């Protein structure tokens, strides 16, 4: 196989799409930071960031002050701040790993979205094909595999910092990761059972298949509420969000794994954390909330043209944003669990629950899928 | 004596043990809080309302005749817990005839605002009521030197306060009429 | 050199280099990290072979879970370069080295001899190849598996399912049993230690 012009064209197109998606996710990550600050402020009776503004926008009547009040330009200022702060590298760190850790944290968070379908595209004949960078047959497993690599960033940061608090954060993070990944995987098995059609060649591990199975029918959230719950809890744990933010719990570990990090390197950790949340919300939307399809039991109201494509993507984004809001909402409602409580919840509550859930659905699916000759 | 009633703690019900209803209640609370009125004070535009006995930056004040009140007794320098005050005593300038009964006046008077803890002891100890902690609360500077208020700055901050006593006027009158005290 | 070849050499170097560096690095944490690099390299090679499922399992299970556990334990015990050296038992490492070299030789011999005969082997002409007849897949009779034949040599997930639950049923069960035994052992060990800790 040679690199011919067509292949290069394909590659270029994919690279362009990848760039677009990365910038979209990064923007969303930046703005979820803003959303976090704003929502937390509102929940606590404050107003949140409302000062930053670009000089020329300020003078637009109505819109200018409105945008300023919403703090729309705050992420810009934050980013610049991270860029121009003084780089401080403590003397006692292991330099190579210290510099590597933020990248290792960010890359998996951005890689997972390559297999994430976010809309569908209609050709002239009205056939739909999903909008996705790489339509892997085993997309969901790919996401698991790559996101499980994300923990190395935290572990490395904790270890290379060579000081106590980051180290504890790193250790906790790895333990938490191991505990919750299991429940997360188990919670998805019933989904595969439910979605896969007996005898068909394509497996239900493809995210596109999962989304399309929810078109015009019930969302999987309604069919499998227990799975959804377990998956959501595990997602909180995997993204290190409160109530599971063991690795960085400020109150007992100063800053956890990023205690020794400053300026841009800390910024990368920060963005990686929020990119994780954005991608995690998108995954939950894809699997349990019907992806880009309209409400359950209602067929997509938009036409099968490019308008439909855009509306579908918009709808998908809207669901994702709602979920991001939910993440933030939970964070400012529930206090942090203790480390032993986290472990306890993971191993003695979620895991058995996921197993029972799996068995129930195995029985149910077997009963439902009996060949028609047995149950006429 | 009141009898102690031991309340029996009921075991948690199943729904309580899942925590989920509690979490939902919490979520409701935080959500409704989002629409409550904000309590933030937009500081540089809106100033806080200071209470009457507010202790701001210590300043030197003049009496209603515009004369220096401080007699450089250095009590405040002595009492100041963090040693924020430095006074260089001097004599009263010759040309100020109406103050000739005063023996001393500060030649230089410095309060280091990086040391001051706003305790108000200086105001309390001053026999001449010359030093006051007024309403000024925002003091800032780019260097450490800028944060040391010298005499001119202190008078600029303090200004003139109404004074009921006119102590030196009375003393002067008494001396002139031969009726000390 | 064509693109995929280049990729192959890149990932092959990555996995081999990672493996070598893992063996030769002083610090256990570095060794573990190089091992992850090596595992990811092998997974990428699987991807080049179109075996996505295998590649992902490789990353998920080994790089994602097992190595996290390794790192966790290395960090928890705080093994430094000196600790690793002290724990070295000369005889044991010698024997282990011998065994691995032996395994490598056997593997190479098997590869060199075996692949020649059966390079033409595919689903259709499986019987044509005499040697592999013994390894022929069992016929799948079930109605739901009507198209199973086309699956056997595909990289799809279902092929793995068929393989595991049809041909390799017994090894699968045995492996499962082994894991169960290990799990029971772990439970007993940890139970004992907590009882001692409390008592
Ligand atoms: S307020 Fe207290 S600390 Fe400040 S100058 Fe006066 S005596 Fe010193
Ligand atoms: S300010 Fe008051 S206490 Fe301080 S030296 Fe002057 S007169 Fe004395």
């Amino acid at each position: 196989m040679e690199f011919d012009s067509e292949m290069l064209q394909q590659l270029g197109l994919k690279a362009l799409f990848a760039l677009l998606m990365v910038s979209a996710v990064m923007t969303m990550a930046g703005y979820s930071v803003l959303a976090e600050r704003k929502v937390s402020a509102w929940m606590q009776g404050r107003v949140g960031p409302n000062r930053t503004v670009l000089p020329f926008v300020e003078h637009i009547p109505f819109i200018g002050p409105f945008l300023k009040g919403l703090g729309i330009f705050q992420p810009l200022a934050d980013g610049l701040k991270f860029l121009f702060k003084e780089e401080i590298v403590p003397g006692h760190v292991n330099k190579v790993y210290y510099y590597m850790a933020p990248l290792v944290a960010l890359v998996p968070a951005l890689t997972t979205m390559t297999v994430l379908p976010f809309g569908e595209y209609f050709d002239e004949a009205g056939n739909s094909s999903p909008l996705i960078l790489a339509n892997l047959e085993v997309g969901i497993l790919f996401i698991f595999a790559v996101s499980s690599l994300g923990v190395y960033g935290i572990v490395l940061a904790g270890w290379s910092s060579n000081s106590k608090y980051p180290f504890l954060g790193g250790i906790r993070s790895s333990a938490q990761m191991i505990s919750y990944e299991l429940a997360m995987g188990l919670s998805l098995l019933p989904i595969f059972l439910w979605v896969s059609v007996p005898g068909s060649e394509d497996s239900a591990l493809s995210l596109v298949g999962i989304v399309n199975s929810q078109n015009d029918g019930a969302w999987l959230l309604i069919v499998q509420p227990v799975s959804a719950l377990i998956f959501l809890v595990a997602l909180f744990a995997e993204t290190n969000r409160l109530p599971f933010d063991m690795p960085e719990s400020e109150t007992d570990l100063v800053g956890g794994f990023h205690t020794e990090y400053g300026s841009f390197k800390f910024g990368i950790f920060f963005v990686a954390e929020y990119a994780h949340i954005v991608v995690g919300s998108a995954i939950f939307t894809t699997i349990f909330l019907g992806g880009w399809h309209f409400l359950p039991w209602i067929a997509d109201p938009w036409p099968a043209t490019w308008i439909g494509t855009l509306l579908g993507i918009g709808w998908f984004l809207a669901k994702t944003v709602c979920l991001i809001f939910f993440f933030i909402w939970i964070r400012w409602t529930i206090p942090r669990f203790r480390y032993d409580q986290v472990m306890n919840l993971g191993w003695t509550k979620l895991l058995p629950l996921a197993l029972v859930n799996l068995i129930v659905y195995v029985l149910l699916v077997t009963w439902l899928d009996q060949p028609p000759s047995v149950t006429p | 004596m009141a009898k102690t009633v031991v309340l029996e703690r009921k075991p948690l019900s199943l729904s309580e043990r899942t925590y989920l209803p509690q979490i939902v209640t919490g979520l409701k609370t935080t959500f409704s809080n989002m629409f409550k009125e904000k309590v933030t004070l937009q500081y540089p535009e809106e100033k806080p309302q200071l209470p009457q006995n507010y202790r701001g930056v210590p300043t030197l004040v003049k009496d209603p005749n515009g004369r220096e009140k401080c007699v450089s007794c250095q009590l405040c320098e002595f009492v100041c817990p963090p040693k924020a005050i430095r006074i260089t005593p001097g004599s009263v300038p010759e040309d100020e005839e109406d103050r000739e009964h005063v023996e001393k006046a500060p030649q230089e008077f410095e309060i280091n605002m990086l040391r001051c803890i706003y305790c108000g002891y200086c105001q309390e100890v001053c026999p001449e009521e010359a030093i006051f902690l007024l309403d000024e609360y925002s003091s800032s500077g780019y260097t450490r030197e800028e944060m040391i208020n010298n005499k001119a700055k202190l008078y600029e901050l303090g200004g003139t306060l109404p004074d009921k006593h006119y102590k030196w006027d009375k003393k002067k009158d008494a001396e002139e009429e031969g009726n000390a005290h | 050199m064509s693109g995929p070849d280049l990729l192959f050499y890149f990932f092959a170097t990555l996995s081999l280099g990672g493996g070598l560096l893992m063996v030769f690095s002083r610090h256990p944490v570095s060794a573990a990290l190089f091992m992850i690099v090596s595992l990811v390299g092998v997974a990428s090679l699987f991807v080049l072979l179109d075996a996505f499922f295998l590649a992902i399992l490789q990353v998920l299970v080994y790089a994602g879970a097992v190595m996290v556990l390794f790192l966790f334990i290395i960090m928890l015990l705080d093994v430094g370069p000196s600790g690793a050296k002290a724990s070295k038992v000369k005889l044991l490492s010698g024997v282990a080295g011998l065994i691995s070299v032996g395994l490598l030789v056997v593997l190479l011999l098997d590869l060199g001899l075996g692949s020649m005969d059966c390079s033409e082997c595919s689903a259709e002409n499986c019987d044509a190849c005499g040697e592999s007849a013994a390894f022929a897949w069992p016929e799948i009779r079930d109605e739901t598996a009507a198209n199973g034949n086309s699956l056997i040599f595909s990289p799809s997930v279902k092929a793995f399912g068929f393989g595991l639950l049809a041909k390799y049923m017994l090894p699968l069960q045995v492996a499962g049993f082994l894991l169960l035994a290990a799990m029971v052992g772990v439970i007993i060990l940890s139970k004992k230690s907590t009882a001692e800790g409390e008592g």
Side-chain angles (χ1 to χ4, degrees):
Chain A
M1 202 160 44
E2 294 285 328
F3 275 132
D4 45 23
S5 65
E6 196 182 336
M7 201 169 162
L8 278 180
Q9 207 178 351
Q10 276 264 321
L11 268 178
L13 215 62
K14 289 269 179 194
L16 189 72
F17 273 129
L19 213 65
L20 269 178
M21 270 186 89
V22 167
S23 33
V25 169
M26 289 302 246
T27 317
M28 276 178 87
Y31 278 94
S32 9
V33 178
L34 174 70
E36 176 110 67
R37 295 175 66 178
K38 269 295 188 192
V39 171
S40 69
W42 289 334
M43 282 174 180
Q44 298 166 352
R46 299 181 284 117
V47 288
N50 64 345
R51 295 279 162 164
T52 329
V53 74
L54 294 180
F56 58 89
V57 178
E58 199 176 10
H59 302 301
I60 308 172
F62 280 129
I63 303 173
F66 177 70
L67 290 183
K68 184 179 167 191
L70 276 184
I72 290 292
F73 304 102
Q74 189 68 35
L76 214 70
D78 285 349
L80 283 178
K81 183 195 75 176
F82 280 137
L83 258 179
F84 291 119
K85 269 179 109 168
E86 186 186 352
E87 281 257 354
I88 297 172
V89 180
H92 50 72
V93 300
N94 187 331
K95 290 259 165 37
V96 181
Y97 296 128
Y98 180 77
Y99 278 110
M100 209 167 81
L103 293 180
V104 176
L106 181 64
V107 168
L110 293 181
T111 312
T112 37
M113 71 195 175
T114 46
V115 295
L116 200 71
F118 53 90
E120 56 186 347
Y121 164 81
F122 304 96
D123 58 13
E124 264 105 74
N127 300 319
S128 71
S129 48
L131 283 173
I132 187 170
L133 274 179
N135 194 356
L136 270 194
E137 190 193 30
V138 285
I140 183 66
L141 285 182
F142 179 84
I143 287 179
F144 274 161
V146 174
S147 70
S148 70
L149 293 181
V151 70
Y152 287 119
I154 296 175
V155 172
L156 268 186
W159 179 73
S160 69
S161 291
N162 197 10
S163 93
K164 289 193 178 90
Y165 292 123
F167 185 69
L168 277 175
I171 294 253
R172 282 183 183 189
S173 147
S174 53
Q176 182 173 316
M177 196 66 163
I178 297 166
S179 315
Y180 280 82
E181 198 151 316
L182 219 56
M184 197 179 209
L186 273 180
S187 77
L188 280 187
L189 287 183
I191 304 282
F192 303 146
L193 286 178
W194 189 266
V195 172
S196 65
V197 183
S200 89
E201 274 228 26
D202 43 74
S203 65
L205 296 180
S206 128
L207 283 169
V208 180
I210 291 177
V211 171
N212 280 332
S213 78
Q214 301 174 66
N215 183 15
D216 220 349
W219 287 355
L220 283 172
L221 175 73
I222 300 165
V223 183
Q224 311 217 334
V226 183
S227 282
L229 182 71
I230 298 170
F231 187 82
L232 193 67
V233 173
L235 197 65
F236 271 91
E238 301 253 312
T239 49
N240 293 328
R241 286 291 291 189
L242 221 102
F244 297 98
D245 66 339
M246 286 298 112
E248 57 167 304
S249 52
E250 309 83 0
T251 34
D252 47 336
L253 290 189
V254 188
F257 63 94
H258 55 58
T259 307
E260 304 283 350
Y261 280 84
S263 70
F264 200 56
K265 294 191 291 306
F266 170 76
I268 293 179
F269 271 127
F270 206 56
V271 169
E273 190 182 323
Y274 282 90
H276 243 118
I277 294 167
V278 171
V279 174
S281 307
I283 293 169
F284 191 85
T285 309
T286 317
I287 299 178
F288 290 103
L289 298 181
W292 55 86
H293 292 303
F294 201 57
L295 298 176
W297 293 294
I298 302 173
D300 296 351
W302 37 74
T305 53
W306 59 272
I307 302 174
T309 307
L310 284 187
L311 282 175
I313 295 176
W315 189 238
F316 178 79
L317 283 182
K319 284 180 194 171
T320 310
V321 168
C322 285
L323 219 65
I324 293 173
F325 172 76
F326 184 72
F327 267 79
I328 297 170
W329 188 11
I330 285 279
R331 167 163 181 186
W332 298 100
T333 302
I334 309 177
R336 176 180 305 122
F337 289 135
R338 251 182 3 236
Y339 179 60
D340 60 322
Q341 287 171 329
V342 170
M343 289 295 125
N344 200 17
L345 182 69
W347 286 108
T348 67
K349 305 277 169 13
L350 282 188
L351 193 61
L353 189 65
L355 273 174
V356 169
N357 185 37
L358 176 63
I359 292 170
V360 167
Y361 275 97
V362 165
L363 294 178
L364 191 67
V365 169
T366 323
W367 182 65
L368 286 176
D369 280 355
Q370 274 164 358
S373 58
V374 183
T375 42
Chain B
M1 217 180 87
K3 201 167 155 270
T4 314
V5 182
V6 179
L7 284 180
E8 206 157 302
R9 182 172 284 199
K10 288 200 206 83
L12 296 178
S13 68
L14 184 71
S15 78
E16 276 169 339
R17 265 186 289 155
T18 60
Y19 303 126
L20 293 178
Q22 280 68 34
I23 289 177
V24 172
T25 321
L27 286 175
K28 264 191 245 159
T29 310
T30 39
F31 195 76
S32 63
N33 269 353
M34 277 180 50
F35 305 105
K36 291 223 176 101
E37 215 191 317
K38 311 291 174 244
V39 294
T40 308
L41 192 80
Q42 297 291 336
Y43 167 61
E45 291 96 42
E46 294 171 39
K47 302 280 188 207
Q49 233 186 348
L50 298 179
Q52 287 228 296
N53 51 357
Y54 186 80
R55 298 206 299 259
V57 174
T59 60
L60 289 176
V61 297
K62 292 180 173 164
D63 75 356
N65 296 338
R67 294 177 300 201
E68 185 166 47
K69 285 173 102 178
C70 173
V71 293
S72 194
C73 69
Q74 292 177 289
L75 274 174
C76 54
E77 184 176 9
F78 180 73
V79 80
C80 176
K83 307 240 173 292
I85 303 179
R86 277 280 171 282
I87 300 169
T88 318
S91 53
V92 180
E94 292 292 316
D95 54 332
E96 289 190 30
E97 277 151 31
D98 49 350
R99 285 183 71 214
E100 59 198 9
H101 309 276
V102 187
E103 286 164 23
K104 286 201 294 180
Q107 191 186 331
E108 189 44 89
F109 198 116
E110 284 178 349
I111 302 184
N112 187 344
M113 290 321 293
L114 293 173
R115 299 196 70 112
C116 172
I117 54 171
Y118 300 85
C119 61
Y121 282 7
C122 47
Q123 173 179 357
E124 205 169 304
V125 81
C126 179
E128 301 296 328
E129 300 191 349
I131 190 164
F132 276 92
L133 277 72
L134 293 178
D135 279 354
E136 184 62 38
Y137 49 80
S138 103
S139 70
S140 56
Y142 288 105
T143 58
R144 282 164 191 270
E145 288 69 43
E146 256 176 82
M147 295 305 291
I148 300 174
N149 291 339
N150 59 13
K151 191 170 145 189
K153 181 82 192 290
L154 288 171
Y155 274 119
E156 185 196 319
L157 285 171
T160 306
L161 275 196
D163 183 347
K164 290 190 262 337
H165 305 306
Y166 295 104
K167 182 174 166 186
W168 294 110
D169 284 352
K170 281 183 198 157
K171 200 160 180 189
K172 192 177 176 187
D173 291 348
E175 200 167 79
E176 276 163 8
E177 284 153 35
N179 179 18
H181 301 288
Chain C
M1 210 186 292
S2 62
D5 275 357
L6 267 180
L7 284 178
F8 169 77
Y9 286 117
F10 175 69
F11 288 124
T13 331
L14 199 69
S15 40
L16 283 181
L20 283 178
L21 283 171
M22 175 213 133
V23 176
F24 291 119
S25 57
R26 280 270 170 101
H27 203 288
V29 174
S30 308
L33 291 174
F34 281 124
M35 183 152 177
I36 296 164
V37 171
S38 168
L39 287 171
V40 172
V42 172
S44 319
L45 288 179
F46 284 146
V47 169
L48 287 185
L49 293 174
D50 269 354
F52 292 107
F53 186 61
L54 211 58
I56 283 166
L57 280 194
Q58 169 97 4
V59 174
L60 184 64
V61 175
Y62 288 102
V66 174
M67 289 315 292
V68 175
L69 215 62
F70 266 46
L71 263 184
F72 180 67
I73 287 164
I74 290 174
M75 287 183 173
L76 209 63
L77 300 181
D78 202 13
V79 202
S82 53
K85 225 182 257 162
S87 71
K88 218 181 247 170
V89 184
K90 280 276 143 61
L91 185 68
L92 209 60
S93 47
V95 171
L98 264 182
I99 291 178
S100 14
V101 169
L103 278 177
L104 189 68
V105 169
V106 169
L107 208 69
L108 283 178
L109 280 179
D110 188 49
L111 266 183
L113 298 178
S115 63
M116 269 168 216
D117 305 338
C118 224
S119 55
E120 300 292 300
C121 197
S122 73
E124 285 75 36
N125 61 358
C126 206
D127 298 327
C129 176
E131 199 215 28
S132 64
F135 298 108
W137 294 77
E139 222 170 299
I140 293 149
R141 291 192 196 83
D142 202 328
E143 283 307 307
T144 54
N147 43 12
N149 268 324
S150 63
L151 274 172
I152 285 171
F153 284 97
S154 80
S156 77
V157 183
K158 278 212 167 162
F160 287 88
F162 274 121
L164 276 181
L165 294 181
K167 185 177 174 194
Y168 296 109
M169 190 60 171
L170 189 65
L172 182 76
Q173 298 278 338
V174 172
F177 217 74
L178 213 65
L179 284 177
L180 185 69
M183 225 153 82
V184 172
V186 165
I187 289 172
I188 287 172
L189 280 177
S190 57
K191 268 264 145 54
K192 206 172 153 195
S193 71
T194 49
E196 273 169 7
E198 281 162 6

